[in-house]
Amino acid sequence: MEVIYVKDYEEMSQKGFEQIKKVMETKESPVVSLNTGGTPKGLFQYLVEAINQGLDISDATIMSLDEYIGPKDAVYTVRNFMNQRLFNNIEQQPKHLFLMDGSTDDVESEIKRYKELLATYPRDIQLLGLGTNAHLGANEPGTPFDTTMFLAEHHESTIQSTMKEYGITREEAPTEMLTLGLKEITEAETVLLLVSGKHKAQAVKDLVEGEVTPDCPASVLRNCENAVVIVDEDAASLLTKE
C-alpha cells in the first residue's frame, strides 16, 4: 500500500483525478469503477472538465462500486449521483456504462448479473472513499476480507452519513446497499482510496497504524501492493509523527 500525503481536499481531488486520467490515457479500453458521496465530488469536477476539453472516453467502460436499495430516482442513489455529477455534464459518453439496479425485486439475479460483468470487464482502477468506521463500499466492520458482492445492511454511522450528505430524514435514508465485496475491490489493477477531513482521522489511523483485521475493513489494503491511498492533512492528523 502506497500512502500519498497532500495538503487539503482540493489537492486530494486533483491527485486522485490524475490517477484516473492516467488510466484513461494509457489503457486501450480502460475500465474505471467509481464511487459516490462527498469525497469524490471534486474529482468528478476535474473529470468533467477534462472530458469536455478532449480527454477521450469513447472506448472506456465505467462501472460502480455499489448502489443503495431504493427507487432509481431517489436523491441518494448512485445512479442519480453519477448522472448529476458526470454523465449529464459531459459532451462524450463512455462506450459502456454498467451500474447496479438497487430497485430490483430479485437481488440474487442482480448480483449474478453484475458479477458476470466484473468477470467480462476487469477493472483497471477502483475508486474508493473511507467511511468514518473504516468501511469500504458497504463493507462494514466485521465483513470478512474474502467477501464477494452481496446485499449489505448499513451500520448507524453510515446511515447518519447518508442523511447528512443528501439532506434526508432517518425514515427516508436507505438501510441496505448492493456492494462489491472486499475481495472484488482489491482485485482491481489499481485500488485508489481518497480520504479528507478530521472526521476521518481515526479511521485513517486504524488503517495505517492499527491491526489488519475485518474490524477495520480498509486495513485489507495494507497488504495490497496495488493500493494507492491519498490522505489530506486533516485526515492524517492522528497519525504518529516520525
Side-chain angles (χ1 to χ4, degrees), residues 5 11 14 59 67 70 74 77 93 114-115 134 137 144 156 175 178 184 192 208 219 226 237 242:
Y5 296 100
E11 188 177 0
Q14 183 179 17
D59 286 324
E67 179 58 277
T77 65
Q93 297 296 317
Y114 214 79
K115 282 186 173 182
E156 185 60 29
T175 59
L178 287 167
E184 290 150 337
L192 176 61
V208 176
S219 68
N226 58 329
S237 59
E242 294 184 1

Side-chain angles (χ1 to χ4, degrees), residues 31-79:
V31 181
V32 176
S33 182
L34 300 172
N35 75 312
T36 58
T39 300
K41 284 180 179 178
L43 182 151
F44 272 58
Q45 290 176 342
Y46 278 112
L47 188 56
V48 167
E49 182 178 345
I51 292 169
N52 290 339
Q53 290 180 353
L55 178 63
D56 186 10
I57 64 167
S58 60
D59 286 324
T61 295
I62 293 182
M63 306 183 77
S64 65
L65 171 67
D66 46 28
E67 179 58 277
Y68 293 104
I69 295 297
K72 282 186 178 181
D73 60 354
V75 66
Y76 53 74
T77 65
V78 169
R79 184 180 300 271

Side-chain angles (χ1 to χ4, degrees), residues 19 33 44 49 54 62 66 78 100 115 117 120 126 128 135-136 144 170 203 226 235:
Q19 296 275 339
S33 182
F44 272 58
E49 182 178 345
I62 293 182
D66 46 28
V78 169
M100 300 172 193
K115 282 186 173 182
L117 289 171
T120 304
Q126 174 66 64
L128 301 169
H135 72 247
L136 298 178
R170 180 65 173 77
N226 58 329

Side-chain angles (χ1 to χ4, degrees), residues 5 130 195 200-210 231 235-236 239:
Y5 296 100
L130 182 67
V195 198
K200 302 289 181 72
Q202 185 60 53
V204 169
K205 184 174 180 62
D206 293 341
L207 163 61
V208 176
E209 298 178 345
V231 184
L239 294 178

Side-chain angles (χ1 to χ4, degrees), residues 23-229:
V23 169
M24 292 287 198
E25 290 180 332
T26 59
K27 297 290 184 177
E28 186 173 342
S29 299
V31 181
V32 176
S33 182
L34 300 172
N35 75 312
T36 58
T39 300
K41 284 180 179 178
L43 182 151
F44 272 58
Q45 290 176 342
Y46 278 112
L47 188 56
V48 167
E49 182 178 345
I51 292 169
N52 290 339
Q53 290 180 353
L55 178 63
D56 186 10
I57 64 167
S58 60
D59 286 324
T61 295
I62 293 182
M63 306 183 77
S64 65
L65 171 67
D66 46 28
E67 179 58 277
Y68 293 104
I69 295 297
K72 282 186 178 181
D73 60 354
V75 66
Y76 53 74
T77 65
V78 169
R79 184 180 300 271
N80 189 53
F81 185 104
M82 293 277 201
N83 286 332
Q84 288 190 355
R85 298 280 174 177
L86 183 59
F87 301 117
N88 292 349
N89 304 317
I90 53 178
E91 298 167 6
Q92 182 190 71
Q93 297 296 317
K95 184 175 182 178
H96 299 297
L97 171 60
F98 299 127
L99 301 179
M100 300 172 193
D101 181 6
S103 67
T104 182
D105 292 325
D106 189 345
V107 168
E108 290 306 315
S109 292
E110 178 61 10
I111 290 174
K112 181 176 183 292
R113 179 188 76 88
Y114 214 79
K115 282 186 173 182
E116 290 172 352
L117 289 171
L118 291 170
T120 304
Y121 298 91
R123 289 152 297 146
D124 294 302
I125 191 165
Q126 174 66 64
L127 181 64
L128 301 169
L130 182 67
T132 54
N133 62 1
H135 72 247
L136 298 178
N139 293 268
E140 300 279 9
T143 306
F145 288 162
D146 61 354
T147 299
T148 59
M149 186 176 173
F150 69 108
L151 178 63
E153 292 187 10
H154 290 312
H155 286 195
E156 185 60 29
S157 63
T158 303
I159 295 172
Q160 293 296 326
S161 294
T162 303
M163 290 166 56
K164 181 179 179 180
E165 178 64 31
Y166 296 102
I168 55 180
T169 66
R170 180 65 173 77
E171 290 70 30
E172 294 170 324
T175 59
E176 294 180 310
M177 195 173 207
L178 287 167
T179 183
L180 300 189
L182 295 171
K183 183 175 187 294
E184 290 150 337
I185 285 172
T186 56
E187 285 174 345
E189 184 172 323
T190 298
V191 181
L192 176 61
L193 175 63
L194 307 185
V195 198
S196 173
K198 287 192 175 180
H199 62 301
K200 302 289 181 72
Q202 185 60 53
V204 169
K205 184 174 180 62
D206 293 341
L207 163 61
V208 176
E209 298 178 345
E211 293 181 30
V212 176
T213 168
D215 291 335
C216 176
S219 68
V220 71
L221 302 181
R222 289 260 289 282
N223 297 326
C224 295
E225 293 183 359
N226 58 329
V228 178
V229 182

